[in-house]
Amino acid sequence: MLENVKRVILILSGKGGVGKSTVSTQLALTLKERGYKVGLLDIDLCGPSVPYILNLEDQNIHQGSEGWIPVYLDKEQKLGVMSIGFLLKSRNDAVVWRGPKKTSMIKQFLEDVYWQDLDFLVIDTPPGTSDEHITVMENLRSVPQCSAILVTTPQEVSIEDVRKEITFCNKTGIKIMGIIENMSGYECPTCSECTNIFSSGGGKSLAEISKLPFLGSIPIDPRVGALAGKGVAAVKELPESSTSRVFNDLVIRINETNSNGS
Amino acid sequence: MTSIPDNAPHQCPGTQSEDAGKASACAGCPNQNICASGVPAGPDPAVELIKNRLANVKHKILVLSGKGGVGKSTVTSLLGHGLAKLNPDLNIGILDADICGPSQPRVLGVRGEQVHNSGSGWSPVYVTDNLSLMSIGFLLGSPDDAVIWRGPKKNGMIKQFLSEVDWGDLDYLLIDTPPGTSDEHLSLVQYLAGAGATGAVLVTTPQEVALLDVRKEIQFCRKVGLPVLGVVENMALFVCPNCKVGIYCTGRKRR
């Protein structure tokens, strides 16, 4: 499974709404900007956000002789995307499924999509430690080039759920690349005063306590928020923003671990 | 729909078929006797059990959202506190049905409390005199403990929460849920079929990416016949504590 994929990066968080999909899409877009061939798999079946964020909502999946052909963002086919959103007739359609059905859908996503040769496969997940996560872990156990990035916001209530996700990774034996803190501080556009709406420093102290690398903090930036629905990379559109800095550093770090062979 | 279960042996004739339990493929199937007896499986006995248990609960309200992190737990807890303050004679219970990410113990400030089991069932934790809480958070040994469960186990836990917690007489039972339209949500609706759920409060934030998921939740409510009591919009406006200017989450200033 996924033999033609050099690296698999899982984006996880115990908590919902912390920015997993934003991190997944921006990471995929940044890697694409750097010239890599990237796949982005959205396994949030009940709330797929990736098609909207990348402005691919009206696209369809086609069946080829080798399997499902993902939707490509660009003509050069540098970034392929797979999401259940492409399989729904209307954007209002709900996927009211219990675990076993979700499990078999994810298995199909992992086995039957024809990604071609990929440098990176980024997997966006729903919050929690349940069916979707267990299924992905069970199937990726045989894929050694797999690691996870955890996303959190600075508040205690989010940190608490992410601690559970760390336990989950440790139990299932998945390597954790590090922790990203999102929504850390909001700079008032009127007076430039920075307010820590969701407290501050939580991600960093979690990384210290659990002895994991801290991959940076992304502030609340309405300009980055406005990129959702457009499908453009922050590193291209807003090269000076703190968000771009975090993703540039992240890609450098990913490449370092790549060349170390670990 | 066929009556063949997902995990049935190859060539299962289907549980509703005339050959159920009698076909050659049925040999060795653990359910052969049940199928062959011809007695159709009745409704889940838990539904009746929960109906009796919640007979003294007047309103059962689910707090739902397709999207995570929009403030379901905050809305639930504030609604609980609000109702409890409104009238000291009202009794409010909160059930945290988010099994993998229980936030209520922290939000309500009762972390580290214990639930006790007695002859009449589990006693919930009392936040104030008339506000009680039940959450899986109380059953975990450490905050690091992860609940790595697939659907059926989560459903079993929810069944237990609904059928075995000794709430006493309640005016409102508020049920906080995880995001999505899956096991927890289906189970809650199905288990409450006998007791009767009053309806659902949906929580969203103003962004399109949240609305997208909340629309799915509305569809879910329609599909399962759960009345939507209304929608709460959270995180709509940020007022800068320094310059007091209000900013909408779109970046627009308040006039």
Side-chain angles (χ1 to χ4, degrees), chain B residues 74-142:
Chain B
T74 306
V75 167
T76 310
S77 67
L78 292 177
L79 188 59
H81 267 305
L83 288 165
K85 274 268 163 58
L86 191 70
N87 181 351
D89 294 332
L90 288 180
N91 283 310
I92 325 292
I94 293 179
L95 173 61
D96 187 357
D98 192 341
I99 307 291
C100 293
S103 305
Q104 286 300 345
R106 172 171 286 279
V107 174
L108 288 170
V110 283
R111 263 183 328 139
E113 298 277 340
Q114 295 279 321
V115 287
H116 298 284
N117 205 345
S118 68
S120 53
W122 277 336
S123 310
V125 169
Y126 280 82
V127 182
T128 62
D129 287 343
N130 58 345
L131 179 62
S132 53
L133 169 66
M134 186 67 206
S135 166
I136 195 166
F138 298 133
L139 308 176
L140 301 177
S142 132

Side-chain angles (χ1 to χ4, degrees), chain B residues 55-219:
Chain B
N56 295 327
V57 177
K58 283 193 199 127
H59 302 286
K60 299 143 203 104
I61 297 172
L62 277 79
V63 179
L64 296 173
S65 170
K67 187 89 185 91
V70 295
K72 285 175 297 300
S73 301
T74 306
V75 167
T76 310
S77 67
L78 292 177
L79 188 59
H81 267 305
L83 288 165
K85 274 268 163 58
L86 191 70
N87 181 351
D89 294 332
L90 288 180
N91 283 310
I92 325 292
I94 293 179
L95 173 61
D96 187 357
D98 192 341
I99 307 291
C100 293
S103 305
Q104 286 300 345
R106 172 171 286 279
V107 174
L108 288 170
V110 283
R111 263 183 328 139
E113 298 277 340
Q114 295 279 321
V115 287
H116 298 284
N117 205 345
S118 68
S120 53
W122 277 336
S123 310
V125 169
Y126 280 82
V127 182
T128 62
D129 287 343
N130 58 345
L131 179 62
S132 53
L133 169 66
M134 186 67 206
S135 166
I136 195 166
F138 298 133
L139 308 176
L140 301 177
S142 132
D144 284 315
D145 281 1
V147 179
I148 307 174
W149 290 356
R150 286 186 180 272
K153 230 169 149 183
K154 293 194 288 189
N155 299 335
M157 192 77 228
I158 287 172
K159 180 158 71 176
Q160 268 191 298
F161 277 158
L162 289 171
S163 61
E164 292 177 20
V165 177
D166 181 23
W167 296 102
D169 292 349
L170 283 185
D171 295 282
Y172 293 93
L173 176 64
L174 309 175
I175 305 177
D176 187 17
T177 62
T181 50
S182 192
D183 284 288
E184 293 90 337
H185 315 82
L186 280 168
S187 298
L188 281 168
V189 170
Q190 284 171 6
Y191 287 139
L192 288 172
T198 313
V201 173
L202 300 185
V203 185
T204 186
T205 55
Q207 303 99 314
E208 176 57 32
V209 71
L211 295 172
L212 203 61
D213 291 350
V214 176
R215 281 194 210 104
K216 294 182 195 293
E217 204 72 31
I218 296 175
Q219 261 235 331

Side-chain angles (χ1 to χ4, degrees), chain A residues 136-156:
Chain A
V136 162
M137 296 303 180
E138 278 178 358
N139 285 283
L140 292 185
R141 197 168 286 163
S142 53
V143 181
Q145 66 279 26
C146 175
S147 53
I149 293 176
L150 300 178
V151 186
T152 185
T153 54
Q155 317 96 297
E156 282 280 358

Side-chain angles (χ1 to χ4, degrees), chain A residues 83-151:
Chain A
S83 165
I84 196 167
F86 299 133
L87 305 173
L88 300 176
K89 277 196 214 84
S90 140
R91 64 204 300 252
N92 297 347
D93 278 1
V95 174
V96 187
W97 289 356
R98 287 185 182 273
K101 227 168 152 181
K102 292 196 286 190
T103 301
S104 58
M105 186 81 230
I106 290 168
K107 267 202 188 128
Q108 270 192 293
F109 276 160
L110 289 171
E111 284 168 1
D112 299 348
V113 178
Y114 179 56
W115 293 105
Q116 304 176 20
D117 290 332
L118 286 184
D119 294 307
F120 294 96
L121 177 65
V122 179
I123 303 182
D124 186 20
T125 63
T129 50
S130 191
D131 288 286
E132 292 90 337
H133 313 81
I134 300 171
T135 306
V136 162
M137 296 303 180
E138 278 178 358
N139 285 283
L140 292 185
R141 197 168 286 163
S142 53
V143 181
Q145 66 279 26
C146 175
S147 53
I149 293 176
L150 300 178
V151 186

